[in-house]
Amino acid sequence: MRSLSPLRHAVMSCFRWWPALAAIGALFLPLHALAARDLISVEDDSGRTVALARPAQRIVALAPHLVEMSYAVGAGGQLVGVIEGSDYPSAAREIGRVGSYRGIPLEAIVAKQPDLVLVWGSGTPASLIEQLDRLGIPVYRSEPRRLGQIAGDLRDIGRLTGHDAAGEQAASRFEDGLRRSSQTLSPVPRVFYQLGQSPLTTLAGGQIVTQVIRHCGGVPLFEEASVLVPQIGWESLLEAQPEIILAAGADDRWKAFWAGRDELPAVRNDALYTLDPDTISRPGPRMIQAVREVCRALGGDRGR
């Protein structure tokens, strides 16, 4: 009897109760076989090389922004599994869920027999990514910390899925939006981005939201904090004197928290702006809409 390959043996041992997984080893070629072919190869945001022998046809995306990117490059029809919260475009709501932010079972992903898994570098559990790597399933790690990296991810996903031209078009549209929206302001406004209210938190430097603020001509307060999500005390905020306060929300109810706090220029001058929560929090193609919102707020022209 022919012996199983190491990969197939690992999958069969872990999931022998799942007959459909028996053939998963056939989806991936040995490294020496891949080397002999013309590989589709990109470098992801972690610096790792992702190489495929052919464009991916069965894709699992483990972050809403990756689902949006897949559709933006024309690969939405190749998605076979997504994470809860993937609601844009509307067609994404019909794709089977493989987990949520509360947990993503490995077997739910493997059952989809993916030939590519798109993961969020800091949002997908590291242990899960390691398990996918051990099974030999190609993994693309997306972690855009700069606005330009969003365009790079669009190009990469387009290439990995066989939509090079569409990926280039989506990336170019995003870059054109960045060029058109970039602004320099004088004096430079001090901007506080309110992430949470109780306790009061913001985002430090290295987060893409702070890059949006700088792109639009402002200086993000507390970007030098040593943690990514610092808690901000009232005395620190009073000393910082924010001239503009931004927050993501479905409505303006968050502004009630600031009522009467006229010690802050932003409150005194009614410079509190509500941002769409999806576009500002998802580093995907729609983030250009958030960029425009922030640039209008910082530029002092709400209706522009």
Side-chain angles (χ1 to χ4, degrees):
M1 179 177 178
R2 185 170 57 88
S3 61
L4 295 173
S5 69
L7 171 61
R8 295 189 63 187
H9 178 75
V11 175
M12 291 282 286
S13 298
C14 295
F15 306 110
R16 62 185 59 178
W17 48 272
W18 207 323
L21 302 183
I24 193 169
L27 294 174
F28 312 110
L29 296 175
L31 291 177
H32 69 273
L34 288 176
R37 295 171 176 260
D38 292 328
L39 291 178
I40 300 170
S41 178
V42 303
E43 184 178 291
D44 68 16
D45 290 341
S46 72
R48 294 173 174 83
T49 297
V50 183
L52 304 177
R54 61 187 67 83
Q57 297 301 310
R58 298 182 61 82
I59 306 163
V60 170
L62 299 183
H65 80 274
L66 290 166
V67 174
E68 294 191 22
M69 284 186 171
S70 297
Y71 275 98
V73 304
Q78 291 149 255
L79 289 167
V80 295
V82 299
I83 197 169
E84 287 287 350
S86 302
D87 56 6
Y88 188 90
S90 58
R93 299 170 186 166
E94 306 302 318
I95 302 172
R97 271 42 184 165
V98 295
S100 70
Y101 291 113
R102 294 181 297 275
I104 308 172
L106 174 64
E107 58 268 27
I109 297 174
V110 177
K112 298 293 185 181
Q113 298 188 30
D115 45 16
L116 177 65
V117 179
L118 307 175
V119 305
W120 180 16
S122 61
T124 304
S127 59
L128 176 64
I129 297 175
E130 291 170 3
Q131 290 173 309
L132 292 170
D133 283 337
R134 284 199 295 269
L135 288 175
I137 300 175
V139 173
Y140 180 89
R141 295 162 173 83
S142 171
E143 188 67 33
R145 293 292 178 88
R146 300 185 307 276
L147 289 167
Q149 284 183 290
I150 294 176
D153 284 9
L154 287 165
R155 289 189 174 94
D156 288 348
I157 293 172
R159 178 161 172 72
L160 290 171
T161 60
H163 301 280
D164 299 61
E168 179 59 40
Q169 290 172 1
S172 294
R173 283 194 300 270
F174 190 87
E175 290 170 335
D176 183 61
L178 290 179
R179 284 191 294 270
R180 290 174 180 271
S181 60
S182 179
Q183 63 186 14
T184 301
L185 301 175
S186 182
V188 178
R190 299 185 300 277
V191 183
F192 178 66
Y193 180 76
Q194 177 188 323
L195 180 64
Q197 185 168 290
S198 182
L200 191 62
T201 57
T202 189
L203 293 172
Q207 295 294 310
I208 202 164
V209 173
T210 64
Q211 304 302 309
V212 173
I213 293 170
R214 286 206 169 275
H215 175 84
C216 291
V219 56
L221 296 177
F222 308 108
E223 66 173 337
E224 73 286 351
S226 59
V227 295
L228 292 179
V229 182
Q231 292 188 23
I232 308 302
W234 175 250
E235 292 299 325
S236 297
L237 194 63
L238 191 60
E239 182 179 352
Q241 288 286 287
E243 296 166 297
I244 294 172
I245 298 177
L246 307 173
D251 52 47
D252 291 338
R253 284 181 291 181
W254 66 275
K255 295 182 180 180
F257 173 80
W258 299 99
R261 302 176 187 263
D262 291 345
E263 309 96 312
L264 304 178
V267 178
R268 191 165 58 246
N269 298 322
D270 193 27
L272 280 67
Y273 298 92
T274 303
L275 306 176
D276 178 85
D278 285 345
T279 58
I280 193 64
S281 63
R282 298 181 183 182
R286 288 193 299 158
M287 180 160 268
I288 198 64
Q289 299 175 28
V291 169
R292 295 188 185 111
E293 283 187 312
V294 172
C295 288
R296 285 196 295 267
L298 272 56
D301 184 355
R302 300 188 194 189
R304 184 163 52 129

